[in-house]
Amino acid sequence: MTEKTVIQRSHEAVKKEVSSYNELFQDSASVDKRKEEYKTLVTNYYSLSTDFYEYGWGQSFHFANRFRGETLSESIQRHESYLALRMNLKPGDKVLDIGCGVGGPLRRIAYLSGAHVTGVTISPYQIQRAKAIGVPANCQFIQGDFMQLPFEDNTFDHVYVIEAACHAPEKAKCFAEVNRVLKPGGSFIGYDWCMTDKYDKQNSEHLETKRLIEEGDGLPDLKSTDELVDDLKSVGFTIEESRIIPEGDIPWYQPFIGGDSYFSLASFRTTTLGRWVTRNMVWAMEKSKLAAEGTIGTLEILEKAAVGLTRGGKSGIFTPYFFFLARKS
């Protein structure tokens, strides 16, 4: 973890969360079931995975295209800064981050722009972590559901999302809420996880890759780039730009496979070997009761994510950063 403050969670809670999460991905569990229980699905996922994300990824839980000469951290910061630039933020603007995690992007965008940024996450644990890390004067964190945002109409000048709308059971309903709280003329901008035009529903390997990504990342049902744009339009947004961010010199999934020229302990942790080392350490800790029962189950969930994301990236059927810029009339 990147922050010294540790929040203790009971062994029983971890065990129950793993069991509840896995039940939603049993063979008998349908996509409709996951959509109905998305609050439980997403809340449990981030209660279980947040500490591991911080351990391996830092405080910004997202990917970025990356160029030769850039570290992973630098590419992530650039990716976040681009959104601040495209929103044309200025001091005093009221901005909303939906699905804010522990607040890495939020703090950076607030620091760069001087805007006041409010972050919303459905996860109580992430709110605890965000506050433990620290809350700058022009930021705040609120536990809430982006399917039912706890704000008045026309509250924010701009809204952004970074790889979080994919957790929505119905994107159009999520986007309708964003439209409601956004001031007229305000922008809604972001990156999201989508299946690309290369995805073939009749291809068994493609279906398995999609399943692994969903099961490994707490997702009800991944949608295509076209479906995301259609959902934005359906609730009244005008689309000013939409595109898959061009790949850089280094594949976005490189952290999962290793071979990074900028070696660090943090980059090693996400590689195949690094994940194997971590798994064995956690296995030993769980067996000796130093880690909660179910912790190794969390790593098994995250390993599915790593495998699925790598397959999706290599085959080109999945992108983690479909960019869109929409505006409220």
Side-chain angles (χ1 to χ4, degrees):
M1 293 178 56
T2 55
E3 164 63 36
K4 295 298 183 183
T5 303
V6 176
I7 299 169
Q8 297 294 332
R9 301 181 64 242
S10 74
H11 287 210
E12 189 61 29
V14 172
K15 182 179 178 181
K16 286 182 178 179
E17 286 163 356
V18 170
S19 176
S20 174
Y21 182 89
N22 285 332
E23 284 177 4
L24 290 172
F25 288 96
Q26 298 290 339
D27 292 340
S28 58
S30 65
V31 170
D32 288 340
K33 179 73 169 176
R34 293 200 293 275
K35 288 182 177 181
E36 289 170 9
E37 299 189 24
Y38 76 92
K39 290 183 181 180
T40 299
L41 172 65
V42 179
T43 300
N44 285 346
Y45 178 75
Y46 282 110
S47 291
L48 294 166
S49 66
T50 291
D51 288 345
F52 287 106
Y53 276 159
E54 286 192 69
Y55 171 76
W57 219 257
Q59 294 170 12
S60 294
F61 303 167
H62 64 83
F63 296 98
N65 63 337
R66 184 175 164 198
F67 299 95
R68 193 169 293 109
E70 269 189 323
T71 65
L72 176 62
S73 177
E74 288 168 345
S75 71
I76 285 174
Q77 291 177 13
R78 173 180 47 75
H79 208 57
E80 296 165 357
S81 301
Y82 181 70
L83 295 185
L85 177 68
R86 293 302 304 271
M87 285 186 280
N88 295 312
L89 298 182
K90 60 185 182 298
D93 280 351
K94 294 184 68 175
V95 182
L96 178 63
D97 177 339
I98 60 169
C100 65
V102 300
L106 180 154
R107 293 184 189 87
R108 179 163 187 80
I109 288 173
Y111 173 78
L112 288 173
S113 67
H116 185 279
V117 187
T118 298
V120 170
T121 173
I122 200 171
S123 167
Y125 185 66
Q126 289 190 332
I127 291 292
Q128 293 179 59
R129 287 293 308 132
K131 291 180 177 179
I133 293 166
V135 185
N138 59 333
C139 301
Q140 66 175 331
F141 293 93
I142 295 175
Q143 184 189 345
D145 181 358
F146 58 30
M147 303 296 289
Q148 297 174 307
L149 287 168
F151 307 107
E152 299 294 326
D153 296 359
N154 307 317
T155 296
F156 296 97
D157 297 294
H158 304 277
V159 180
Y160 70 88
V161 62
I162 301 179
E163 301 181 22
C166 48
H167 289 293
E170 300 293 342
K171 278 194 175 70
K173 291 182 180 179
C174 172
F175 296 161
E177 276 293 278
V178 171
N179 191 282
R180 179 182 66 79
V181 304
L182 190 59
K183 295 177 183 178
S187 65
F188 177 35
I189 190 171
Y191 310 107
D192 203 26
W193 288 19
C194 292
M195 306 310 292
T196 71
D197 292 342
K198 293 182 179 180
Y199 173 67
D200 179 5
K201 293 180 180 180
Q202 306 304 316
N203 185 312
S204 60
E205 291 185 4
H206 289 190
L207 289 171
E208 175 64 6
T209 297
K210 179 174 180 287
R211 184 193 67 79
L212 286 169
I213 297 171
E214 290 167 348
E215 187 168 346
D217 293 283
L219 307 178
D221 185 27
L222 276 168
K223 296 296 185 180
S224 70
T225 56
D226 289 341
E227 287 172 315
L228 185 147
V229 170
D230 288 345
D231 284 338
L232 285 167
K233 290 178 178 178
S234 73
V235 299
F237 278 111
T238 298
I239 310 301
E240 295 187 356
E241 188 175 337
S242 64
R243 59 191 172 90
I244 295 175
I245 296 292
E247 193 61 86
D249 302 313
I250 302 170
W252 60 263
Y253 51 85
Q254 184 73 31
F256 295 132
I257 60 178
D260 196 328
S261 59
Y262 287 87
F263 179 82
S264 67
L265 178 59
S267 64
F268 172 73
R269 290 167 178 167
T270 61
T271 64
T272 303
L273 179 57
R275 298 196 307 272
W276 180 86
V277 170
T278 299
R279 188 185 190 284
N280 281 279
M281 288 173 58
V282 170
W283 178 85
M285 291 173 68
E286 186 173 318
K287 290 299 181 183
S288 60
K289 308 298 183 184
L290 293 174
E293 183 180 350
T295 305
I296 198 69
T298 303
L299 283 180
E300 289 170 352
I301 292 168
L302 296 177
E303 182 61 22
K304 291 177 183 178
V307 172
L309 290 167
T310 302
R311 289 183 186 177
K314 286 184 174 181
S315 63
I317 66 171
F318 166 83
T319 178
Y321 38 59
F322 179 67
F323 172 80
F324 64 88
L325 172 58
R327 196 166 302 277
K328 179 176 177 177
S329 301

